[in-house]
Amino acid sequence: MKKSFIFALCSLSMVLLVLFSGCKKDKEQAPETFVSDMARPVWTAPEKSDMTSSMTAVVKVDLKAQYPNIAADFALNDNDLIAAFAGETCLGVAAPDEGLFYLYIAGPNEQMVNEQMVNLKYYSAHYKNLFRTKDAFLFRNDDHLGTIAEPFAPTFVVGK
């Protein structure tokens, strides 16, 4: 009887764990629509002359590939923007150029910025909404992330 009680308790624990995990995933799922009324952000890139360290990134944004059911009508727009951030500090801003974003990411001090996590924020003029990267990358002085042939294609989620 003791073994069957322990087995039942373990089984109940596993069921509850699966249920709670499912609830957490539901919160992270994409919304029904990306359409918003958010104004285009004003991000200010640092002055290149004031920066002592930098890296570049060639970034591809394709919400249609990531969210085929929600973003079937996605298209880049000349008013789209992408920006790199370390915390709340903007390190670079770029607009699309022939389907890619060529981002110059600069920092004021190599020791302060090097090896810091960098997140991207993307404003879609099509959806009038802000997206952020789910996967950040490390800032590394003189590094290059992505190429024209193989651009960096991060996963974006809705939100600031």
Side-chain angles (χ1 to χ4, degrees):
M1 172 138 168
K2 195 174 190 180
K3 286 183 182 178
S4 61
F5 175 74
I6 291 173
F7 178 76
L9 188 59
C10 288
S11 298
L12 179 62
S13 298
M14 292 300 291
V15 168
L16 290 174
L17 181 63
V18 168
L19 286 175
F20 284 121
S21 296
C23 291
K24 184 176 181 182
K25 282 186 179 180
D26 288 344
K27 290 180 184 177
E28 292 177 2
Q29 287 181 349
E32 291 182 27
T33 180
F34 286 144
V35 178
S36 177
D37 62 353
M38 183 179 291
R40 186 177 192 236
V42 179
W43 292 317
T44 305
E47 292 293 324
K48 291 179 183 175
S49 60
D50 294 337
M51 301 299 126
T52 59
S53 57
S54 66
M55 68 179 289
T56 60
V58 179
V59 182
K60 180 179 180 180
V61 176
D62 188 358
L63 296 178
K64 189 184 302 188
Q66 292 176 25
Y67 304 99
N69 296 334
I70 301 169
D73 65 340
F74 173 74
L76 283 180
N77 183 303
D78 288 343
N79 291 315
D80 287 2
L81 281 179
I82 199 162
F85 287 86
E88 295 299 313
T89 304
C90 182
L91 303 176
V93 180
D97 183 3
E98 296 186 21
L100 297 172
F101 292 88
Y102 299 92
L103 192 56
Y104 178 81
I105 305 166
N109 176 320
E110 187 174 336
Q111 287 183 326
M112 182 180 108
V113 179
N114 205 29
E115 298 296 324
Q116 243 185 349
M117 294 304 290
V118 175
N119 287 292
L120 300 178
K121 293 183 182 181
Y122 165 66
Y123 176 75
S124 168
H126 178 79
Y127 293 121
K128 294 187 178 174
N129 209 343
L130 187 66
F131 298 81
R132 62 178 170 76
T133 49
K134 192 172 183 177
D135 42 354
F137 57 90
L138 285 174
F139 180 94
R140 291 193 174 106
N141 191 36
D142 295 328
D143 199 7
H144 307 283
L145 182 63
T147 64
I148 293 172
E150 292 184 34
F152 175 58
T155 302
F156 286 93
V157 294
V158 177
K160 298 177 182 183

